[in-house]
């Protein structure tokens, strides 16, 4: 890979005690720096997206002729989306750093 695109960590493997005592018996863990940057930026973007979408639903509900049940369903979907996206970002960051 390109220099600066991966963070290398030397982590001892846990095969057996004799293997641990020999020098140089390490597994290499590689974390993707571009993926970590993307996850971080997505985490900063998510709250702004959620607020703008919520304000748009307020506008749609007050100004436009919009069914109440449809508006409620869309708001529920927005909240579910925010929850799933938050979990996705958390798992992506945690998985990238522990890969």
């Amino acid at each position: 890979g390109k220099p600066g695109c991966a963070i290398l960590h030397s982590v001892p493997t846990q095969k057996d005690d004799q293997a641990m005592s020999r020098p140089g018996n390490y597994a290499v863990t590689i974390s993707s720096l571009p993926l970590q940057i993307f996850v971080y930026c997505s985490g900063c973007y998510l709250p702004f997206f959620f607020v703008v979408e919520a304000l748009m639903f307020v506008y749609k509900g007050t100004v436009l002729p919009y069914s109440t049940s449809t508006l409620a369903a869309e708001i529920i979907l927005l909240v579910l989306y925010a929850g799933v996206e938050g979990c996705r970002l958390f798992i992506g960051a945690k998985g990238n750093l522990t890969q």
Side-chain angles (χ1 to χ4, degrees), residues 22-54:
R22 289 189 297 244
N25 188 24
Y26 290 96
V28 176
T29 302
I30 299 174
S31 299
S32 172
L33 182 60
L35 176 61
Q36 195 64 30
I37 291 170
F38 174 74
V39 168
Y40 177 79
C41 292
S42 294
C44 294
Y45 167 76
L46 179 62
F48 293 113
F49 175 79
F50 185 79
V51 168
V52 168
E53 285 291 319

Side-chain angles (χ1 to χ4, degrees), residues 6 23 32 34 37 42 45 64-65 67 70-72 83-84 97:
S32 172
I37 291 170
S42 294
Y45 167 76
L64 302 174
S67 171
T70 305
L71 185 63
V84 168
L97 295 176

Side-chain angles (χ1 to χ4, degrees), residues 38-94:
F38 174 74
V39 168
Y40 177 79
C41 292
S42 294
C44 294
Y45 167 76
L46 179 62
F48 293 113
F49 175 79
F50 185 79
V51 168
V52 168
E53 285 291 319
L55 291 174
M56 186 181 69
F57 286 135
V58 169
Y59 173 76
K60 284 167 62 172
T62 56
V63 175
L64 302 174
Y66 212 68
S67 171
T68 307
S69 62
T70 305
L71 185 63
E74 287 187 2
I75 291 173
I76 290 171
L77 287 174
L78 178 65
V79 170
L80 287 174
Y81 171 75
V84 168
E85 186 71 10
C87 290
R88 183 187 72 86
L89 293 174
F90 174 76
I91 291 170
K94 193 60 93 172

Side-chain angles (χ1 to χ4, degrees), residues 4-16:
C5 287
I7 302 169
L8 299 176
H9 301 281
S10 293
V11 180
T13 58
Q14 298 180 2
K15 293 181 182 176
D16 60 317

